[in-house]
Amino acid sequence: EAASECVCRSHPCWNDKGERHECRQEQFPILRYREEEDDLDQVRPVCECFMKLVKEDHATGDSELSGTGADWDNEFAAPDDYYNSDEF
């Protein structure tokens, strides 16, 4: 960081102990990597699929995804089984 150089590397979820994670659900297309500590303060990697981000036109209230049949009231709500209840 001190030298202000860029570092290129592959997504950590593309090789998670030999497994390549992918996001195949249309509502959750973004592969996200994070780390969390368990009860023993051990860091564990977490690969998860994150919801798509929708840009809204504030002037008209329209969304880029309008007309796709999406349920806009629930667009940013995760399914009940998406998160492990122990995580929160």
Side-chain angles (χ1 to χ4, degrees):
E1 288 181 36
S4 297
E5 295 179 13
C6 294
V7 176
C8 294
R9 65 181 106 189
S10 64
H11 196 292
C13 295
W14 290 349
N15 187 6
D16 178 20
K17 299 176 187 162
E19 181 180 357
R20 182 181 177 105
H21 295 272
E22 294 179 288
C23 296
R24 296 182 181 175
Q25 289 186 350
E26 184 179 333
Q27 299 85 357
F28 298 92
I30 301 170
L31 183 58
R32 181 169 75 170
Y33 175 82
R34 63 184 174 89
E35 295 177 340
E36 65 182 22
E37 289 185 9
D38 62 17
D39 296 337
L40 302 173
D41 294 329
Q42 298 293 314
V43 175
R44 72 176 185 99
V46 177
C47 293
E48 58 193 357
C49 294
F50 195 70
M51 71 186 102
K52 61 184 159 191
L53 306 176
V54 178
K55 181 179 177 184
E56 186 175 307
D57 183 345
H58 293 284
T60 65
D62 290 339
S63 169
E64 287 182 359
L65 299 176
S66 62
T68 62
D71 180 359
W72 296 110
D73 292 335
N74 294 319
E75 176 65 18
F76 296 105
D80 293 335
D81 61 347
Y82 184 72
Y83 291 106
N84 179 346
S85 60
D86 295 337
E87 290 185 68
F88 298 99

